[in-house]
């Protein structure tokens, strides 16, 4: 039996925030205690262990895994994330991406690795998480691409999820005329340092750019969840679900 301090339990505030967004009114046998099962899922995402090593205090590991897998396929975890973040107005947004190493157990999904956002480069097989954060550094949107894709490949898809912000902070990897023009059409001021190779570097708001470190801190905190810091899931939708539910509970259930 695991000790209480060794396991994760949803707090009252966390449970009250996500409970209204859980599936309800479905036919069949009564579901096992949702709070206990979701606490078990969060524990496994944080610990990075195998599902069959889930502590017995959460009940049978098959129940924990099956609920996680089924609701990932149904998009429940993503809906919870976007429901909690939907009321957030973003004045100054930040966009960035991070590479996630894909474990060998992540191989073998139907459709091939690229279909499930796994790419191969000199760093091995990786997935890239693209994120958009708000003024406080809280994530408000996520997109996955293969790790060898350029940052711009996921930028427009990511930014299209949310309403345009007044400013967008991004590093030099996003310094492309196509993106800058697209942002201008949306009424967003790009705060992007010029690439050193530019012959005529553009000006940008240096004071505003100092706030970009918030999204880097967000990625560091997100990677405290070991099943996010290393990808073990074969399918992209299941891995994205891990990112979304960890972000929802970590940043949005206290608001």
């Amino acid at each position: 039996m695991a000790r209480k301090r060794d396991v994760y339990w949803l707090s009252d505030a966390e449970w009250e925030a996500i409970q209204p967004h859980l599936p309800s009114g479905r036919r069949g046998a009564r579901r096992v205690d949702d709070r206990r099962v979701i606490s078990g899922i969060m524990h496994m995402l944080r610990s990075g262990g195998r599902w069959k090593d889930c502590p017995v205090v959460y009940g049978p590991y098959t129940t924990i895994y099956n609920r996680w897998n089924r609701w990932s396929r149904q998009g429940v975890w993503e809906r919870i994330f976007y429901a909690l973040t939907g009321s957030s107005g973003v004045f100054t947004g930040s966009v960035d991406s991070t590479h996630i190493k894909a474990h060998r157990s992540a191989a073998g999904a139907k459709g091939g690795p690229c279909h499930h956002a796994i790419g191969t480069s000199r760093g091995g097989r990786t997935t890239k998480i693209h994120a958009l954060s708000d003024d406080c550094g809280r994530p408000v949107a996520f997109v996955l691409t293969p790790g060898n894709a350029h940052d711009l490949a996921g930028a427009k898809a990511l930014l299209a999820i949310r309403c345009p912000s007044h400013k967008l902070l991004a590093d030099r990897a996003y310094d492309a005329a196509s993106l800058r023009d697209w942002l201008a059409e949306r009424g967003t001021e790009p705060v992007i340092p010029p690439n050193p190779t530019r012959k005529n570097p553009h000006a940008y708001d240096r004071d505003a750019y100092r706030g970009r470190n918030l999204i880097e801190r967000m990625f560091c905190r997100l990677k405290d969840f070991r099943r996010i810091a290393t990808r073990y899931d074969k399918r992209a939708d299941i891995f994205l679900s891990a990112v979304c539910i960890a972000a929802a509970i970590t940043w949005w259930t206290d608001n």
Side-chain angles (χ1 to χ4, degrees), residues 55-107:
V56 296
V57 294
Y58 298 121
Y61 80 88
T62 52
T63 300
I64 308 300
Y65 174 76
N66 289 338
R67 182 80 61 83
W68 166 248
N69 184 52
R70 183 170 66 254
W71 282 7
S72 292
R73 290 176 181 272
Q74 296 170 355
V76 172
W77 310 114
E78 290 182 61
R79 288 198 294 273
I80 291 173
F81 172 73
Y82 285 108
L84 293 176
T85 64
S87 61
S88 172
V90 182
F91 181 83
T92 300
S94 295
V95 63
D96 205 352
S97 66
T98 188
H99 285 87
I100 302 297
K101 186 75 172 179
H103 190 268
R104 62 183 178 85
S105 62

Short mmCIF file of all heavy atoms in Angstrom, two decimals, residues 55-107:
data_model
loop_
_atom_site.label_atom_id
_atom_site.label_comp_id
_atom_site.label_asym_id
_atom_site.label_seq_id
_atom_site.Cartn_x
_atom_site.Cartn_y
_atom_site.Cartn_z
N PRO A 55 -0.42 2.63 -8.15
CA PRO A 55 -0.70 2.24 -6.75
C PRO A 55 -2.11 1.72 -6.55
O PRO A 55 -3.07 2.25 -7.14
CB PRO A 55 -0.47 3.55 -5.98
CG PRO A 55 0.50 4.32 -6.82
CD PRO A 55 0.12 4.00 -8.24
N VAL A 56 -2.26 0.72 -5.71
CA VAL A 56 -3.55 0.07 -5.52
C VAL A 56 -4.58 0.98 -4.84
O VAL A 56 -5.77 0.68 -4.88
CB VAL A 56 -3.37 -1.23 -4.69
CG1 VAL A 56 -2.53 -2.23 -5.45
CG2 VAL A 56 -2.75 -0.93 -3.33
N VAL A 57 -4.12 2.09 -4.25
CA VAL A 57 -5.09 3.00 -3.60
C VAL A 57 -6.05 3.61 -4.61
O VAL A 57 -7.13 4.09 -4.24
CB VAL A 57 -4.36 4.14 -2.85
CG1 VAL A 57 -3.58 3.59 -1.67
CG2 VAL A 57 -3.45 4.93 -3.78
N TYR A 58 -5.70 3.59 -5.88
CA TYR A 58 -6.57 4.13 -6.92
C TYR A 58 -7.51 3.08 -7.50
O TYR A 58 -8.34 3.40 -8.35
CB TYR A 58 -5.73 4.72 -8.06
CG TYR A 58 -4.85 5.86 -7.64
CD1 TYR A 58 -3.46 5.78 -7.80
CD2 TYR A 58 -5.37 7.02 -7.08
CE1 TYR A 58 -2.64 6.83 -7.42
CE2 TYR A 58 -4.56 8.07 -6.71
CZ TYR A 58 -3.19 7.97 -6.87
OH TYR A 58 -2.38 9.00 -6.50
N GLY A 59 -7.37 1.83 -7.08
CA GLY A 59 -8.17 0.76 -7.64
C GLY A 59 -7.40 0.01 -8.70
O GLY A 59 -6.20 0.23 -8.91
N PRO A 60 -8.05 -0.91 -9.43
CA PRO A 60 -7.38 -1.71 -10.46
C PRO A 60 -6.74 -0.83 -11.53
O PRO A 60 -7.36 0.12 -12.01
CB PRO A 60 -8.52 -2.56 -11.05
CG PRO A 60 -9.57 -2.58 -9.99
CD PRO A 60 -9.48 -1.25 -9.30
N TYR A 61 -5.51 -1.15 -11.88
CA TYR A 61 -4.81 -0.32 -12.87
C TYR A 61 -5.51 -0.37 -14.22
O TYR A 61 -5.44 0.58 -15.01
CB TYR A 61 -3.35 -0.74 -13.01
CG TYR A 61 -3.11 -1.95 -13.87
CD1 TYR A 61 -2.91 -1.82 -15.24
CD2 TYR A 61 -3.08 -3.24 -13.32
CE1 TYR A 61 -2.68 -2.93 -16.04
CE2 TYR A 61 -2.87 -4.35 -14.11
CZ TYR A 61 -2.66 -4.20 -15.48
OH TYR A 61 -2.44 -5.29 -16.27
N THR A 62 -6.22 -1.48 -14.51
CA THR A 62 -6.93 -1.58 -15.78
C THR A 62 -8.04 -0.53 -15.87
O THR A 62 -8.30 0.02 -16.95
CB THR A 62 -7.53 -2.99 -15.95
OG1 THR A 62 -8.29 -3.32 -14.77
CG2 THR A 62 -6.44 -4.02 -16.14
N THR A 63 -8.69 -0.25 -14.74
CA THR A 63 -9.73 0.79 -14.72
C THR A 63 -9.12 2.15 -14.99
O THR A 63 -9.66 2.96 -15.76
CB THR A 63 -10.44 0.81 -13.35
OG1 THR A 63 -11.04 -0.46 -13.11
CG2 THR A 63 -11.51 1.89 -13.31
N ILE A 64 -7.98 2.43 -14.37
CA ILE A 64 -7.30 3.72 -14.56
C ILE A 64 -6.90 3.88 -16.03
O ILE A 64 -7.18 4.92 -16.66
CB ILE A 64 -6.06 3.83 -13.64
CG1 ILE A 64 -6.42 3.53 -12.18
CG2 ILE A 64 -5.41 5.19 -13.79
CD1 ILE A 64 -7.43 4.46 -11.59
N TYR A 65 -6.25 2.87 -16.58
CA TYR A 65 -5.77 2.97 -17.96
C TYR A 65 -6.93 3.03 -18.95
O TYR A 65 -6.90 3.84 -19.90
CB TYR A 65 -4.87 1.79 -18.30
CG TYR A 65 -4.49 1.80 -19.77
CD1 TYR A 65 -3.53 2.70 -20.25
CD2 TYR A 65 -5.11 0.97 -20.68
CE1 TYR A 65 -3.21 2.76 -21.59
CE2 TYR A 65 -4.80 1.03 -22.03
CZ TYR A 65 -3.84 1.92 -22.48
OH TYR A 65 -3.54 1.98 -23.81
N ASN A 66 -7.94 2.18 -18.76
CA ASN A 66 -9.06 2.15 -19.71
C ASN A 66 -9.79 3.49 -19.75
O ASN A 66 -10.19 3.95 -20.82
CB ASN A 66 -10.02 1.02 -19.37
CG ASN A 66 -9.44 -0.34 -19.67
OD1 ASN A 66 -8.52 -0.48 -20.48
ND2 ASN A 66 -9.97 -1.37 -19.03
N ARG A 67 -9.98 4.11 -18.58
CA ARG A 67 -10.64 5.42 -18.56
C ARG A 67 -9.77 6.47 -19.26
O ARG A 67 -10.27 7.29 -20.02
CB ARG A 67 -10.90 5.85 -17.10
CG ARG A 67 -11.62 7.19 -16.93
CD ARG A 67 -13.10 7.02 -17.15
NE ARG A 67 -13.66 6.10 -16.16
CZ ARG A 67 -14.01 6.44 -14.93
NH1 ARG A 67 -13.87 7.70 -14.52
NH2 ARG A 67 -14.52 5.55 -14.10
N TRP A 68 -8.48 6.42 -19.00
CA TRP A 68 -7.55 7.35 -19.64
C TRP A 68 -7.58 7.18 -21.16
O TRP A 68 -7.70 8.16 -21.91
CB TRP A 68 -6.14 7.12 -19.11
CG TRP A 68 -5.06 7.76 -19.92
CD1 TRP A 68 -4.11 7.15 -20.68
CD2 TRP A 68 -4.82 9.17 -20.05
NE1 TRP A 68 -3.30 8.08 -21.27
CE2 TRP A 68 -3.71 9.33 -20.91
CE3 TRP A 68 -5.44 10.30 -19.52
CZ2 TRP A 68 -3.22 10.57 -21.25
CZ3 TRP A 68 -4.93 11.55 -19.87
CH2 TRP A 68 -3.84 11.67 -20.72
N ASN A 69 -7.50 5.94 -21.62
CA ASN A 69 -7.45 5.66 -23.04
C ASN A 69 -8.77 6.02 -23.73
O ASN A 69 -8.78 6.66 -24.78
CB ASN A 69 -7.13 4.17 -23.25
CG ASN A 69 -6.95 3.83 -24.71
OD1 ASN A 69 -6.18 4.46 -25.43
ND2 ASN A 69 -7.67 2.81 -25.17
N ARG A 70 -9.89 5.63 -23.13
CA ARG A 70 -11.19 5.87 -23.74
C ARG A 70 -11.50 7.35 -23.83
O ARG A 70 -11.94 7.86 -24.88
CB ARG A 70 -12.28 5.15 -22.94
CG ARG A 70 -13.67 5.27 -23.55
CD ARG A 70 -14.66 4.35 -22.87
NE ARG A 70 -14.91 4.72 -21.47
CZ ARG A 70 -14.44 4.03 -20.44
NH1 ARG A 70 -13.70 2.93 -20.63
NH2 ARG A 70 -14.70 4.42 -19.20
N TRP A 71 -11.25 8.09 -22.76
CA TRP A 71 -11.55 9.51 -22.79
C TRP A 71 -10.55 10.29 -23.65
O TRP A 71 -10.87 11.37 -24.14
CB TRP A 71 -11.59 10.06 -21.37
CG TRP A 71 -12.88 9.72 -20.66
CD1 TRP A 71 -13.87 8.91 -21.13
CD2 TRP A 71 -13.32 10.20 -19.39
NE1 TRP A 71 -14.90 8.84 -20.22
CE2 TRP A 71 -14.59 9.62 -19.13
CE3 TRP A 71 -12.76 11.03 -18.44
CZ2 TRP A 71 -15.30 9.87 -17.98
CZ3 TRP A 71 -13.47 11.29 -17.27
CH2 TRP A 71 -14.73 10.72 -17.04
N SER A 72 -9.36 9.73 -23.85
CA SER A 72 -8.41 10.36 -24.80
C SER A 72 -8.95 10.24 -26.21
O SER A 72 -8.93 11.20 -26.99
CB SER A 72 -7.04 9.69 -24.69
OG SER A 72 -6.42 9.96 -23.46
N ARG A 73 -9.44 9.05 -26.58
CA ARG A 73 -10.01 8.84 -27.91
C ARG A 73 -11.22 9.74 -28.15
O ARG A 73 -11.45 10.20 -29.26
CB ARG A 73 -10.43 7.38 -28.07
CG ARG A 73 -9.28 6.39 -28.15
CD ARG A 73 -9.81 4.96 -28.21
NE ARG A 73 -8.74 3.98 -28.27
CZ ARG A 73 -8.18 3.54 -29.38
NH1 ARG A 73 -8.61 4.01 -30.55
NH2 ARG A 73 -7.22 2.63 -29.36
N GLN A 74 -11.98 9.98 -27.09
CA GLN A 74 -13.19 10.80 -27.21
C GLN A 74 -12.92 12.29 -27.10
O GLN A 74 -13.84 13.10 -27.25
CB GLN A 74 -14.20 10.37 -26.15
CG GLN A 74 -14.69 8.94 -26.32
CD GLN A 74 -15.48 8.44 -25.13
OE1 GLN A 74 -15.62 9.13 -24.10
NE2 GLN A 74 -16.02 7.23 -25.24
N GLY A 75 -11.67 12.67 -26.83
CA GLY A 75 -11.32 14.09 -26.74
C GLY A 75 -11.76 14.76 -25.45
O GLY A 75 -11.82 16.00 -25.39
N VAL A 76 -12.08 13.98 -24.42
CA VAL A 76 -12.59 14.56 -23.17
C VAL A 76 -11.55 15.46 -22.51
O VAL A 76 -11.86 16.57 -22.05
CB VAL A 76 -13.02 13.44 -22.20
CG1 VAL A 76 -13.35 14.03 -20.82
CG2 VAL A 76 -14.21 12.68 -22.77
N TRP A 77 -10.31 15.00 -22.44
CA TRP A 77 -9.27 15.78 -21.74
C TRP A 77 -9.00 17.10 -22.44
O TRP A 77 -8.78 18.13 -21.78
CB TRP A 77 -7.99 14.95 -21.63
CG TRP A 77 -8.21 13.57 -21.10
CD1 TRP A 77 -8.04 12.38 -21.75
CD2 TRP A 77 -8.67 13.21 -19.79
NE1 TRP A 77 -8.35 11.33 -20.94
CE2 TRP A 77 -8.74 11.80 -19.73
CE3 TRP A 77 -9.01 13.95 -18.66
CZ2 TRP A 77 -9.15 11.12 -18.59
CZ3 TRP A 77 -9.43 13.27 -17.52
CH2 TRP A 77 -9.49 11.87 -17.49
N GLU A 78 -8.99 17.10 -23.76
CA GLU A 78 -8.79 18.35 -24.49
C GLU A 78 -9.96 19.30 -24.26
O GLU A 78 -9.77 20.52 -24.09
CB GLU A 78 -8.63 18.08 -25.98
CG GLU A 78 -7.34 17.39 -26.36
CD GLU A 78 -7.22 17.19 -27.85
OE1 GLU A 78 -7.23 18.19 -28.59
OE2 GLU A 78 -7.16 16.03 -28.30
N ARG A 79 -11.18 18.77 -24.24
CA ARG A 79 -12.35 19.63 -24.02
C ARG A 79 -12.31 20.26 -22.63
O ARG A 79 -12.71 21.42 -22.46
CB ARG A 79 -13.64 18.82 -24.21
CG ARG A 79 -13.93 18.47 -25.66
CD ARG A 79 -15.38 18.07 -25.85
NE ARG A 79 -15.71 16.83 -25.17
CZ ARG A 79 -15.57 15.63 -25.69
NH1 ARG A 79 -15.06 15.50 -26.92
NH2 ARG A 79 -15.92 14.55 -25.03
N ILE A 80 -11.86 19.50 -21.64
CA ILE A 80 -11.73 20.07 -20.29
C ILE A 80 -10.75 21.24 -20.31
O ILE A 80 -11.02 22.31 -19.75
CB ILE A 80 -11.28 19.00 -19.29
CG1 ILE A 80 -12.38 17.97 -19.06
CG2 ILE A 80 -10.86 19.64 -17.96
CD1 ILE A 80 -11.96 16.79 -18.21
N PHE A 81 -9.61 21.04 -20.97
CA PHE A 81 -8.59 22.10 -21.03
C PHE A 81 -9.15 23.35 -21.69
O PHE A 81 -9.03 24.46 -21.14
CB PHE A 81 -7.37 21.60 -21.80
CG PHE A 81 -6.34 22.66 -22.08
CD1 PHE A 81 -5.53 23.15 -21.07
CD2 PHE A 81 -6.18 23.17 -23.36
CE1 PHE A 81 -4.59 24.13 -21.32
CE2 PHE A 81 -5.24 24.14 -23.63
CZ PHE A 81 -4.44 24.63 -22.60
N TYR A 82 -9.78 23.21 -22.85
CA TYR A 82 -10.26 24.40 -23.56
C TYR A 82 -11.48 25.01 -22.89
O TYR A 82 -11.72 26.22 -23.01
CB TYR A 82 -10.53 24.06 -25.03
CG TYR A 82 -9.24 23.93 -25.81
CD1 TYR A 82 -8.79 22.69 -26.25
CD2 TYR A 82 -8.45 25.04 -26.07
CE1 TYR A 82 -7.58 22.56 -26.93
CE2 TYR A 82 -7.25 24.93 -26.75
CZ TYR A 82 -6.82 23.69 -27.18
OH TYR A 82 -5.62 23.59 -27.85
N ALA A 83 -12.26 24.21 -22.16
CA ALA A 83 -13.37 24.77 -21.40
C ALA A 83 -12.86 25.66 -20.28
O ALA A 83 -13.43 26.74 -20.01
CB ALA A 83 -14.23 23.64 -20.83
N LEU A 84 -11.80 25.23 -19.60
CA LEU A 84 -11.25 26.01 -18.49
C LEU A 84 -10.52 27.26 -18.97
O LEU A 84 -10.47 28.26 -18.26
CB LEU A 84 -10.31 25.15 -17.66
CG LEU A 84 -10.96 24.00 -16.88
CD1 LEU A 84 -9.89 23.16 -16.17
CD2 LEU A 84 -11.97 24.52 -15.87
N THR A 85 -9.95 27.21 -20.15
CA THR A 85 -9.18 28.36 -20.66
C THR A 85 -9.99 29.27 -21.56
O THR A 85 -9.52 30.34 -21.94
CB THR A 85 -7.94 27.88 -21.45
OG1 THR A 85 -8.37 27.17 -22.62
CG2 THR A 85 -7.07 26.96 -20.61
N GLY A 86 -11.22 28.87 -21.89
CA GLY A 86 -12.00 29.59 -22.89
C GLY A 86 -12.35 31.01 -22.53
O GLY A 86 -12.55 31.85 -23.42
N SER A 87 -12.45 31.33 -21.24
CA SER A 87 -12.85 32.68 -20.83
C SER A 87 -11.66 33.62 -20.67
O SER A 87 -11.82 34.76 -20.27
CB SER A 87 -13.63 32.61 -19.52
OG SER A 87 -12.83 32.06 -18.49
N SER A 88 -10.46 33.11 -20.97
CA SER A 88 -9.26 33.92 -20.77
C SER A 88 -9.02 34.83 -21.97
O SER A 88 -8.86 34.37 -23.09
CB SER A 88 -8.03 33.01 -20.56
OG SER A 88 -6.84 33.78 -20.55
N GLY A 89 -9.02 36.14 -21.72
CA GLY A 89 -8.65 37.07 -22.77
C GLY A 89 -7.14 37.25 -22.77
O GLY A 89 -6.54 37.46 -21.72
N VAL A 90 -6.53 37.15 -23.95
CA VAL A 90 -5.07 37.24 -24.05
C VAL A 90 -4.70 38.56 -24.69
O VAL A 90 -4.96 38.79 -25.87
CB VAL A 90 -4.50 36.06 -24.88
CG1 VAL A 90 -2.98 36.15 -24.92
CG2 VAL A 90 -4.94 34.73 -24.29
N PHE A 91 -4.10 39.46 -23.91
CA PHE A 91 -3.65 40.74 -24.45
C PHE A 91 -2.29 40.57 -25.13
O PHE A 91 -2.08 40.99 -26.26
CB PHE A 91 -3.57 41.79 -23.34
CG PHE A 91 -3.13 43.15 -23.84
CD1 PHE A 91 -4.05 44.02 -24.39
CD2 PHE A 91 -1.80 43.54 -23.79
CE1 PHE A 91 -3.66 45.27 -24.87
CE2 PHE A 91 -1.39 44.78 -24.27
CZ PHE A 91 -2.34 45.64 -24.81
N THR A 92 -1.37 39.95 -24.42
CA THR A 92 -0.04 39.67 -24.96
C THR A 92 0.20 38.17 -24.89
O THR A 92 0.33 37.61 -23.81
CB THR A 92 1.06 40.40 -24.17
OG1 THR A 92 0.82 41.82 -24.23
CG2 THR A 92 2.44 40.10 -24.76
N GLY A 93 0.23 37.53 -26.04
CA GLY A 93 0.45 36.09 -26.07
C GLY A 93 1.92 35.77 -26.36
O GLY A 93 2.66 36.61 -26.87
N SER A 94 2.32 34.56 -26.00
CA SER A 94 3.67 34.08 -26.30
C SER A 94 3.55 32.72 -26.96
O SER A 94 2.73 31.89 -26.55
CB SER A 94 4.51 33.95 -25.03
OG SER A 94 4.73 35.21 -24.44
N VAL A 95 4.36 32.50 -27.98
CA VAL A 95 4.35 31.22 -28.68
C VAL A 95 5.76 30.64 -28.66
O VAL A 95 6.75 31.36 -28.77
CB VAL A 95 3.84 31.37 -30.13
CG1 VAL A 95 4.76 32.27 -30.95
CG2 VAL A 95 3.69 30.02 -30.81
N ASP A 96 5.84 29.34 -28.46
CA ASP A 96 7.14 28.66 -28.45
C ASP A 96 6.89 27.17 -28.62
O ASP A 96 5.74 26.71 -28.65
CB ASP A 96 7.89 28.94 -27.15
CG ASP A 96 9.40 28.80 -27.31
OD1 ASP A 96 9.85 28.35 -28.38
OD2 ASP A 96 10.13 29.14 -26.35
N SER A 97 7.96 26.39 -28.72
CA SER A 97 7.83 24.94 -28.84
C SER A 97 8.96 24.27 -28.08
O SER A 97 9.97 24.91 -27.73
CB SER A 97 7.87 24.52 -30.32
OG SER A 97 9.15 24.79 -30.88
N THR A 98 8.79 23.00 -27.80
CA THR A 98 9.82 22.23 -27.11
C THR A 98 9.85 20.81 -27.67
O THR A 98 8.82 20.27 -28.08
CB THR A 98 9.56 22.20 -25.59
OG1 THR A 98 10.68 21.60 -24.93
CG2 THR A 98 8.31 21.42 -25.24
N HIS A 99 11.04 20.22 -27.71
CA HIS A 99 11.20 18.85 -28.20
C HIS A 99 10.99 17.85 -27.05
O HIS A 99 11.44 18.08 -25.93
CB HIS A 99 12.60 18.63 -28.78
CG HIS A 99 12.79 19.25 -30.14
ND1 HIS A 99 13.18 20.56 -30.29
CD2 HIS A 99 12.63 18.74 -31.39
CE1 HIS A 99 13.27 20.84 -31.58
NE2 HIS A 99 12.93 19.76 -32.27
N ILE A 100 10.32 16.76 -27.38
CA ILE A 100 10.08 15.68 -26.43
C ILE A 100 10.64 14.40 -27.02
O ILE A 100 10.28 14.00 -28.14
CB ILE A 100 8.58 15.50 -26.13
CG1 ILE A 100 7.98 16.80 -25.59
CG2 ILE A 100 8.37 14.34 -25.16
CD1 ILE A 100 8.54 17.26 -24.28
N LYS A 101 11.52 13.74 -26.29
CA LYS A 101 12.10 12.48 -26.76
C LYS A 101 11.04 11.39 -26.78
O LYS A 101 10.32 11.19 -25.79
CB LYS A 101 13.25 12.08 -25.83
CG LYS A 101 14.03 10.86 -26.29
CD LYS A 101 14.93 11.17 -27.45
CE LYS A 101 15.85 10.00 -27.78
NZ LYS A 101 16.72 10.29 -28.93
N ALA A 102 10.94 10.68 -27.88
CA ALA A 102 9.99 9.57 -28.00
C ALA A 102 10.68 8.27 -27.61
O ALA A 102 11.68 7.88 -28.22
CB ALA A 102 9.45 9.48 -29.42
N HIS A 103 10.15 7.62 -26.59
CA HIS A 103 10.67 6.33 -26.15
C HIS A 103 10.39 5.27 -27.22
O HIS A 103 9.49 5.44 -28.05
CB HIS A 103 9.99 5.95 -24.83
CG HIS A 103 10.59 4.78 -24.13
ND1 HIS A 103 10.14 3.49 -24.32
CD2 HIS A 103 11.60 4.70 -23.23
CE1 HIS A 103 10.84 2.67 -23.56
NE2 HIS A 103 11.74 3.37 -22.89
N ARG A 104 11.14 4.19 -27.20
CA ARG A 104 10.93 3.15 -28.21
C ARG A 104 9.53 2.54 -28.12
O ARG A 104 9.00 2.05 -29.12
CB ARG A 104 11.98 2.04 -28.07
CG ARG A 104 11.97 1.28 -26.75
CD ARG A 104 13.11 0.26 -26.71
NE ARG A 104 13.16 -0.46 -25.45
CZ ARG A 104 12.44 -1.55 -25.17
NH1 ARG A 104 11.61 -2.03 -26.10
NH2 ARG A 104 12.53 -2.15 -24.01
N SER A 105 8.90 2.61 -26.94
CA SER A 105 7.54 2.09 -26.81
C SER A 105 6.51 2.94 -27.54
O SER A 105 5.36 2.52 -27.71
CB SER A 105 7.16 1.98 -25.33
OG SER A 105 7.16 3.26 -24.71
N ALA A 106 6.91 4.16 -27.97
CA ALA A 106 6.00 5.03 -28.71
C ALA A 106 5.91 4.67 -30.18
O ALA A 106 5.11 5.25 -30.92
CB ALA A 106 6.43 6.49 -28.56
N ALA A 107 6.71 3.73 -30.63
CA ALA A 107 6.71 3.33 -32.05
C ALA A 107 5.64 2.28 -32.30
O ALA A 107 5.21 1.58 -31.39
CB ALA A 107 8.08 2.78 -32.44
#
